[in-house]
């Protein structure tokens, strides 16, 4: 380990809506900071080089890989994990759809998968199954074969689009 | 006792329905508790120093620089661990001739594959342990390396374990009927060399274990990502010289297993040994490179096979010569001879024929050890069988569906025994094939294929029938001397509030075990599934059982749960009859209440019954049995295994310019007997199919001639992702096993068993007009272009 990695850096950020101040090793990945220092064990470390998506979290509005970002880089950032997205209810419909469709088996990929799916859904409209598959193609799931996940995301997209159309219709 | 499972209007009709999984909401909220999520006071972390050589003598180990790293507690060599941990030998008596040398948790004098642990560093943080591990200096003396499978037995090839005499681990030959005569008199003979690549499971959660030795209590507790907690209890006790009763293995959430987590790994046993030496909790979580170099590999087979048919396409004989290389050790305690053994047991499995010769040769080499991985041996046997059957159909100008109809065991042929001596209680090959043909609209698909061909688009249809081995009896491991339980138990109890707790020896790996058990117990007792809490994965709490492997959870664990639940129902009704001055036979339990079975009228809620039994037992007749807890254990006894059957189909497109295969759609019809939860079964099938698709198109561990693993990352070892995966249509035929009340067989491996063969046949169906054929998996663009003659060097 080089000296620069051993250095410690002060960071201030918000995590799941709460202010966090910490002194972090310069070489610590954001996913390790969240899991080890904050006890947010929902997102997981798995491939550790940005391929599997198990560590996917939301940073300043984007779904990012917690294993490819250093905690030190999150200074000033707004970070959301599955725990926070659960508390606010933002993805409650998506979580319910995953349970109803059995779009998870072991559940290890699920927190990352939900954050990635919500990023697509937040764009609005009703993405095609191909678009859903493409958007989730960086999130590895060995258990389900993906079809149930695509089904669940598609169902939520259609429900949200329907609700949005109704709201729009009511206002006209 | 009979339960009219076929009647959807029966009371408490939860078996056969899609019931939500009780543990799913927790997992979608990030509230899972995987081993790496657990932190204990004084917990230390271990990192391993692993051999960079495929074969080397271990000289001096210099740990001075490692020990200087801040946070390092201690560095362990193989000799240090050997003082508290005995080596193991992975052989089984019924696999005659199988040999393997003693294996230590940390290599002592020789390293025999790249990744074998040779030293361990314990530190207060994982980062410190990893940094220090990289500073441990091991003096290696390189030794000759054996990497090629087919020359492993040549006289000029070095012997990896001189004490064993040669590099042959195991050999087995089936020889039934007159194979040579059948080939001599055949109308047509087809042959091919098939190859399946080295795979690994790539569980998203790496192997993980956290062990705490408490010398004050004399108890070792291991939180372990495992499929077989009781087996691990035995193993840790035996090799750490502890009484089995003082070892507790807890298996909470597990992030994917697929057979990878049912084996004994040297680094995990070393972690337990270190915890015992240090008297404090020690955690080991593999990183991704460690996963690729030390998780078991599988499926590395080369097979020369031929098939003889008569003029009508009737199968006369199979002749199979299977070779596989298993690394330097047979893996403990299930052994690495099982996969080859399964291949020769299963070839030709769906078909009614007489003459069979199949030999497997299992050799040692200096690569990562191989062992049982989802659908053990099945994908290989099905690829050989179904590949040859399609080649014979093409030779005869016969439709692939028709040749199968002429050869599959008739649906009324059971019981039947195959030429490989596999015994079938009841299968449904023809009903399944008929259903598949209807589901995929076979004729319309053929028309679409022909129309595409006119446009210069090369599409193919591939069919693959298969059998799957499930519900294993002690014939799988127990008779060979392994303490691996084929029986499983379940305790069901009613608490004072009328709710029910079920404790089971089978485990949850995400497949839905706990949901399956909840709905079986709910139906068996007569309560809602939401009133059943299921507890699995704790050797100190649950009845003794085998855990999750060989598709046994529903068939074995589910039956134990049903019998225990029915026994509890009887106990409850005996108390209720006394309270209501009635007879147990004149009462029933429905939706959590004792009712009149004719009118459904509630007589007594279970909560009220619980109140009386637990708090006002004085009001019950003296001597009335009032134990509201029952345990039952179940084991199969009539058949060594409950075979299931099924058939898959693939429709795909081959780009003959680039060699890229695009999967258009996939179908599977399978027969797992009684379906407890249709959604969970369908998703087992789908997930299994995609694991098989990975083997067919993407997955291959590469080594160089020096035994260096070349693609040890998820960027280099390709697995199926969402974008490549097709939608899958799943259908069922139900032929319940008569061995149990429940009638369930296994469903966990059917998808993986048949998918590679279906894809191979579909690719060859697409390529056949071009005179090309592929039989070496995975079917990469390069291999397809070579088959087409587009690449020639």
């Amino acid at each position: 380990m080089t000296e620069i990695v051993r250095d410690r850096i002060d960071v201030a950020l918000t995590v799941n809506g709460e202010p966090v101040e910490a002194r972090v090793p310069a070489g610590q990945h954001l996913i390790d900071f969240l899991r080890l220092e904050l006890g947010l064990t929902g997102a997981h470390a798995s491939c550790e080089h940005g391929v599997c998506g198990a560590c996917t979290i939301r940073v300043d509005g984007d779904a990012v890989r917690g294993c490819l970002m250093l905690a030190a880089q999150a200074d000033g950032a707004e970070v959301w994990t599955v725990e926070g997205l659960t508390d606010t209810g933002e993805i409650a419909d998506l979580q319910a759809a995953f349970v109803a469709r059995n779009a998870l088996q072991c559940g290890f990929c699920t927190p990352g998968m939900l954050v990635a799916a919500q990023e697509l859904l937040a764009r609005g409209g009703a993405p095609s199954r191909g678009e859903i598959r493409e958007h989730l193609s960086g999130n590895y799931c060995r258990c389900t074969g993906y079809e149930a996940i695509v089904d669940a995301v598609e169902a939520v997209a259609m429900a949200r689009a329907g609700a949005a159309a109704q709201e729009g219709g009511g206002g006209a | 006792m009979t339960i009219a499972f076929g009647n959807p209007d029966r009371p408490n009709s939860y078996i056969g329905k899609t019931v939500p999984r009780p543990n799913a909401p927790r997992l979608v909220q990030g509230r899972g508790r995987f081993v790496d999520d657990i932190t204990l006071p004084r917990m230390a972390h271990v990192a391993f120093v692993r051999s960079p050589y495929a074969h080397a003598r271990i000289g001096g180990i210099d740990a001075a620089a490692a020990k200087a790293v801040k946070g390092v507690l201690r560095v362990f060599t193989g000799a240090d661990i050997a003082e508290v941990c005995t080596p193991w030998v992975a052989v089984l008596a019924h696999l005659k001739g199988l040999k393997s040398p003693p294996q230590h948790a940390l290599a002592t004098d020789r390293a025999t594959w790249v990744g074998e642990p040779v030293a361990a560093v314990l530190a207060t943080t994982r980062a410190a342990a990893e940094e220090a591990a990289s500073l441990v200096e091991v003096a290696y003396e390189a030794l000759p390396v054996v990497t090629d499978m087919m020359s492993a037995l040549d006289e000029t090839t070095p012997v990896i374990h001189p004490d064993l005499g040669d590099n042959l681990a195991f050999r087995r030959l089936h020889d039934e009927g007159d194979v040579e005569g059948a080939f001599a008199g055949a109308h047509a003979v087809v042959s091919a060399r098939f190859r399946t690549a080295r795979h690994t499971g790539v569980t998203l959660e790496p192997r993980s274990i956290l062990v705490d030795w408490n010398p004050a209590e004399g108890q070792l507790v291991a939180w372990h990502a495992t499929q077989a907690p009781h087996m691990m209890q035995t193993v840790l006790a035996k090799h750490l010289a502890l009484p089995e009763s003082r070892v507790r293995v807890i298996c909470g959430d597990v992030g994917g297993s697929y057979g990878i987590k049912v084996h004994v790994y040297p680094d995990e046993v070393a972690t337990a040994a270190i915890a015992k030496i240090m008297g404090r909790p020690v955690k080991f979580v593999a990183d991704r490179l460690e996963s690729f170099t030390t998780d078991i590999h599988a499926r590395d087979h080369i097979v020369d096979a031929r098939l003889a048919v008569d003029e009508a396409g009737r199968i006369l004989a199979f002749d199979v010569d299977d070779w596989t290389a298993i690394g330097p050790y047979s893996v403990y305690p299930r052994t690495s001879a099982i996969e080859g053994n399964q291949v020769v047991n299963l070839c030709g499995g769906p078909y009614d024929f007489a003459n069979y010769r199949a030999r497997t040769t299992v050799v040692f080499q200096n690569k990562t050890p191989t062992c049982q991985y989802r659908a053990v041996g099945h994908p290989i046997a099905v690829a050989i069988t179904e590949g040859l059957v399609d080649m014979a159909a093409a030779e005869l100008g016969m439709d692939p569906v028709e040749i199968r109809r002429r050869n599959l065991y008739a649906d009324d042929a059971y019981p039947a025994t195959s030429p490989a001596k596999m015994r079938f209680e009841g299968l449904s090959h023809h009903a399944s094939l008929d259903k598949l043909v209807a589901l995929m609209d076979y004729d319309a698909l053929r028309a679409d294929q022909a129309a595409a061909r006119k446009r210069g688009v090369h599409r193919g249809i591939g069919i693959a029938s298969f059998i799957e081995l499930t519900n294993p009896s002690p014939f799988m491991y127990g008779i060979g001397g392994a303490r691996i339980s084929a029986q499983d138990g379940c305790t069901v109890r009613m608490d004072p509030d009328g709710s029910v707790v079920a404790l089971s020896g089978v485990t949850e790996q995400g497949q839905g075990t706990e949901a399956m058990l909840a709905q079986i117990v709910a139906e068996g007792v007569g309560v809602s599934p939401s009133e059943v809490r299921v507890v699995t994965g704790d050797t100190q709490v649950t009845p003794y059982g085998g855990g999750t492997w060989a598709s046994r959870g529903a068939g074995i664990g589910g039956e134990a749960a049903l019998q225990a639940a029915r026994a509890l129902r009887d106990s409850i009704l005996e108390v209720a009859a006394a309270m209501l001055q009635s007879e147990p036979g004149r009462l029933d339990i429905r939706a959590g209440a004792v009712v009149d079975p004719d009118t459904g009228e509630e007589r007594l809620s279970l909560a009220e019954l619980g109140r009386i039994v637990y708090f006002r037992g004085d009001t019950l007749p003296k001597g009335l049995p009032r134990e509201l807890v029952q345990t039952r254990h179940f084991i199969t006894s009539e058949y060594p295994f409950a075979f299931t059957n099924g058939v898959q189909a693939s429709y795909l497109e081959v780009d003959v310019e680039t060699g890229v295969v695009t999967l258009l759609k996939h179908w599977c019809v399978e027969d797992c007997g009684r379906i407890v939860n249709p959604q969970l079964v369908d998703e087992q099938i789908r997930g299994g199919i995609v694991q098989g698709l990975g083997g067919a198109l993407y997955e291959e561990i590469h080594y160089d001639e020096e035994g260096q693993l070349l693609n040890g990352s998820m960027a280099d070892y390709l697995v199926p992702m969402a974008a490549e995966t097709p939608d899958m249509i799943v259908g069922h035929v139900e032929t319940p096993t008569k061995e149990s009340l429940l009638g369930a067989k296994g469903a966990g491996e059917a998808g993986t068993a048949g998918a590679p063969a279906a894809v191979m046949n579909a690719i060859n169906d697409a390529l056949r007009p071009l005179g090309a054929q592929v039989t070496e998996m995975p079917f990469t663009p390069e291999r397809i272009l070579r088959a087409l003659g587009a690449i020639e060097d």
Side-chain angles (χ1 to χ4, degrees):
Chain A
M1 203 185 283
T2 59
E3 288 308 315
I4 182 111
V5 178
R6 222 188 286 275
D7 283 350
R8 292 183 166 263
I9 292 171
D10 288 327
V11 292
L13 60 160
T14 65
V15 178
N16 296 330
E18 296 173 15
V20 173
E21 291 184 359
R23 190 166 173 80
V24 300
Q28 186 172 50
H29 292 114
L30 181 54
I31 187 66
D32 290 333
F33 174 69
L34 294 170
R35 289 179 54 82
L36 300 175
E37 308 304 327
L38 304 187
L40 295 167
T41 55
H44 300 117
S46 179
C47 80
E48 299 175 90
H49 61 184
V51 179
C52 77
C55 63
T56 307
I57 51 175
R58 185 192 291 170
V59 179
D60 292 333
D62 294 324
V64 306
R65 300 285 194 250
C67 75
L68 291 186
M69 185 170 175
L70 298 174
Q73 292 176 292
D75 186 38
E78 182 182 332
V79 175
W80 288 88
T81 68
V82 70
E83 290 92 341
L85 297 176
T86 300
D87 288 347
T88 63
E90 180 185 329
I91 58 169
D93 54 350
L94 188 59
Q95 290 166 317
F98 266 57
V99 172
R101 184 58 190 85
N102 199 43
L104 67 150
Q105 288 182 27
C106 79
F108 202 81
C109 75
T110 311
M113 195 71 79
L114 290 167
V115 172
Q118 174 66 1
E119 182 185 50
L120 174 69
L121 291 167
R123 293 176 192 161
S128 69
R129 293 178 72 79
E131 286 167 335
I132 294 168
R133 285 184 178 279
E134 198 58 45
H135 188 82
L136 298 179
S137 66
N139 288 74
Y140 171 57
C141 169
R142 188 58 135 178
C143 296
T144 64
Y146 303 105
E147 186 169 330
I149 294 171
V150 176
D151 289 347
V153 174
E154 185 181 38
V156 171
M158 283 164 48
R160 287 193 193 175
Q166 272 198 344
E167 280 172 28
Chain B
M1 197 277 296
T2 56
I3 299 177
F5 290 114
N7 173 17
D9 298 324
R10 68 189 188 277
N12 311 310
S13 57
Y14 302 113
I15 293 172
K17 292 206 172 134
T18 291
V19 169
R21 286 170 54 198
N23 44 3
R26 191 160 54 73
L27 293 168
V28 298
Q29 293 181 20
R31 295 176 190 272
R33 194 164 185 252
F34 300 89
V35 171
D36 198 26
D37 299 339
I38 301 170
T39 301
L40 297 180
R42 297 183 72 234
M43 184 174 82
H45 301 259
V46 64
F48 291 93
V49 179
R50 296 181 183 278
S51 173
Y53 291 91
H55 196 189
R57 192 165 307 287
I58 299 167
I61 296 180
D62 179 357
K67 286 176 180 166
V69 173
K70 187 178 166 189
V72 167
L73 299 170
R74 194 158 158 186
V75 177
F76 298 87
T77 65
D80 296 333
I81 299 300
E83 283 179 20
V84 298
C85 181
T86 55
W88 50 84
V89 177
V91 296
L92 290 168
H94 65 308
L95 298 169
K96 290 189 178 55
L98 171 62
K99 60 194 189 210
S100 188
Q103 183 178 11
H104 285 271
L106 294 184
T108 50
D109 57 339
R110 266 191 320 147
T112 53
W113 85 89
V114 171
E116 181 169 7
V118 297
V121 177
L122 190 72
T124 53
T125 67
R126 179 170 171 171
E130 288 180 354
E131 182 188 356
S134 73
L135 297 174
V136 173
E137 302 230 7
V138 182
Y140 293 103
E141 177 199 336
L143 294 170
V145 170
V146 179
T147 52
D148 181 59
M149 179 193 301
M150 301 305 285
S151 61
L153 301 183
D154 292 356
E155 282 193 7
T156 54
T157 302
V159 175
I160 297 174
H161 305 293
D163 291 352
L164 299 183
D166 57 26
N167 289 325
L168 181 68
F170 179 68
R171 185 168 253 168
R172 181 161 179 220
L173 173 71
H174 279 290
D175 199 352
E176 186 74 13
D178 177 13
V179 173
E180 289 303 331
F183 275 93
H187 172 74
V189 172
V190 290
S191 65
R193 169 169 281 203
F194 296 91
R195 170 128 211 196
T196 49
R198 232 172 207 267
H199 299 167
T200 189
V202 198
T203 61
L204 197 56
E205 178 206 36
R207 291 188 295 104
S208 312
I209 190 168
L210 167 58
V211 187
D212 188 15
W213 164 249
N214 184 330
E217 288 181 335
Q219 169 139 314
L220 187 98
V221 182
W223 289 262
H224 192 194
T226 180
Q227 299 169 230
H230 281 106
M231 183 195 87
M232 287 309 305
Q233 175 189 24
T234 297
V235 165
L236 293 176
K238 180 175 177 183
H239 294 286
L240 295 174
L242 293 167
E244 211 163 292
S245 60
R246 307 309 291 171
V247 176
R248 178 182 184 185
V249 177
I250 299 173
C251 170
D253 289 318
V254 181
S257 298
Y258 329 109
I260 299 299
K261 294 174 181 168
V262 78
H263 309 295
V264 172
Y265 288 93
D267 46 20
E268 296 175 8
V269 178
T271 301
I274 291 168
K276 185 158 181 264
I277 292 169
M278 300 297 289
R280 63 192 285 180
V282 177
K283 182 189 275 187
F284 167 63
V285 178
D287 70 19
R288 192 49 60 180
L289 179 60
E290 288 177 304
S291 300
F292 276 103
T293 58
T294 64
D295 286 8
I296 60 102
H297 293 176
R299 314 238 209 280
D300 195 0
H301 288 242
I302 295 174
V303 190
D304 288 309
R306 55 187 186 137
L307 166 66
V309 293
D310 69 12
E311 214 163 350
R314 289 284 307 179
I315 293 171
L316 301 175
F318 272 96
D319 186 11
V320 176
D321 185 21
D322 171 60
W323 284 69
T324 185
I326 57 167
Y329 294 101
S330 170
V331 173
Y332 191 59
R334 287 163 193 263
T335 83
S336 304
I338 295 284
E339 188 180 69
N341 198 48
Q342 300 267 75
V343 171
V344 294
N345 280 343
L346 297 171
C347 280
Y351 301 113
D352 191 351
F353 68 102
N355 306 299
Y356 184 62
R357 182 165 60 204
R359 186 181 74 160
T360 187
T361 302
V362 180
V363 301
F364 293 114
Q365 61 179 176
N366 295 112
K367 296 181 185 174
T368 297
T370 74
C371 203
Q372 283 79 292
Y373 166 49
R374 196 177 194 172
V376 191
H378 291 68
I380 301 150
V382 179
I384 298 163
T385 304
E386 295 298 275
L388 289 173
V389 166
D390 259 28
M391 288 172 200
E395 181 82 12
L396 297 169
M398 191 177 284
D399 186 273
V401 172
E402 179 58 26
I403 196 170
R404 287 178 171 79
R405 286 197 168 125
R406 292 185 185 194
N407 288 288
L408 290 167
Y409 276 105
D411 287 355
D412 61 0
Y414 305 99
T417 301
S418 79
K421 304 298 175 208
M422 298 295 106
R423 293 172 56 216
F424 306 134
E425 181 202 43
L427 302 175
S428 61
H429 286 296
H430 287 270
S432 297
L433 181 59
D434 290 346
K435 193 161 191 173
L436 180 90
V437 165
L439 271 180
M440 65 194 287
D441 198 349
Y442 184 74
D443 293 339
L445 221 53
R446 284 286 178 207
D448 179 74
Q449 179 189 30
R453 225 161 247 174
K454 282 181 187 155
R455 303 194 306 271
V457 173
H458 298 270
R459 291 184 173 171
I461 300 169
I463 311 271
S465 289
F466 60 91
I467 56 172
E468 184 204 346
L469 179 159
T470 78
N471 291 6
S473 73
F475 277 79
M476 190 141 189
Y477 296 113
I479 59 164
R483 288 171 71 93
I484 295 172
S485 171
Q487 68 80 44
D488 228 293
C490 185
T491 294
V492 178
R493 74 165 193 259
M494 195 195 99
D495 283 345
D497 65 351
S499 71
V500 173
V501 176
L503 308 128
S504 171
V506 292
T507 56
E508 174 71 87
Q509 321 292 133
Q511 72 275 52
T513 297
E514 294 188 357
M516 175 273 293
L517 292 170
Q519 63 195 105
I520 288 172
V521 168
E523 172 141 6
V525 176
V527 299
S528 159
S530 63
E531 290 295 306
V532 181
R533 280 168 296 144
V534 177
V535 178
T536 63
D538 186 340
T539 58
Q540 191 161 291
V541 171
T542 72
Y544 202 94
T548 295
W549 47 274
S551 296
R552 64 186 297 280
I556 308 292
E559 175 68 11
L562 180 62
Q563 292 187 16
R566 296 294 293 181
L568 175 62
R569 175 182 178 276
D570 292 344
S571 302
I572 293 169
L573 288 180
E574 186 171 3
V575 174
M579 291 170 68
L580 298 168
Q581 295 176 336
S582 179
E583 300 290 327
R586 291 170 56 203
L587 297 168
D588 193 9
I589 307 174
R590 296 179 189 172
V594 178
V595 301
D596 181 312
D598 297 326
T599 64
E601 183 193 348
E602 178 171 329
R603 303 284 307 276
L604 179 69
S605 73
L606 293 186
E608 176 61 8
L609 185 142
R611 184 185 72 83
I612 299 293
V613 167
Y614 288 105
F615 309 115
R616 291 303 309 273
D618 57 303
T619 65
L620 295 172
K622 266 187 194 170
L624 177 75
R626 59 193 67 185
E627 289 78 17
L628 300 184
V629 56
Q630 291 285 349
T631 299
R632 292 292 182 274
H633 289 254
F634 177 68
I635 189 167
T636 54
S637 49
E638 299 293 322
Y639 285 83
F641 312 103
F643 275 96
T644 71
N645 67 279
V647 56
Q648 296 191 28
S650 169
Y651 193 43
L652 53 75
E653 192 170 301
V654 182
D655 184 329
V656 297
E657 301 296 322
T658 63
V660 170
V661 173
T662 302
L663 301 168
L664 300 174
K665 205 159 188 175
H666 200 99
W667 296 263
C668 177
V669 175
E670 65 81 55
D671 183 346
C672 63
R674 178 89 55 221
I675 292 173
V676 177
N677 185 319
Q679 185 185 57
L680 293 181
V681 169
D682 283 1
E683 296 316 312
Q684 278 301 296
I685 300 295
R686 288 197 173 93
I689 287 170
V690 172
Q691 212 150 4
L693 297 178
L697 293 178
Y698 312 114
E699 298 185 37
E700 179 169 24
I701 296 264
H702 292 280
Y703 280 90
D704 70 10
E705 288 179 357
E706 296 304 310
Q708 292 293 334
L709 193 151
L710 300 177
N711 57 336
S713 82
M714 286 191 64
D716 299 311
Y717 179 92
L718 304 181
V719 290
M721 303 297 278
E724 299 89 68
T725 309
D727 282 342
M728 294 158 272
I729 309 293
V730 181
H732 304 280
V733 174
E734 283 187 79
T735 310
T737 173
K738 299 182 188 77
E739 282 225 51
S740 64
L741 301 173
L742 184 61
K745 310 177 207 173
E749 299 168 281
T752 310
V759 168
M760 178 177 70
N761 285 349
I763 292 172
N764 288 332
D765 187 49
L767 297 183
R768 196 162 285 119
L770 303 170
Q773 174 174 286
V774 287
T775 53
E776 184 172 342
M777 297 185 196
F779 304 116
T780 59
E782 181 190 341
R783 288 192 176 119
I784 285 173
L785 291 177
R786 282 187 191 284
L788 287 165
I791 305 179
E792 285 184 341
D793 62 350

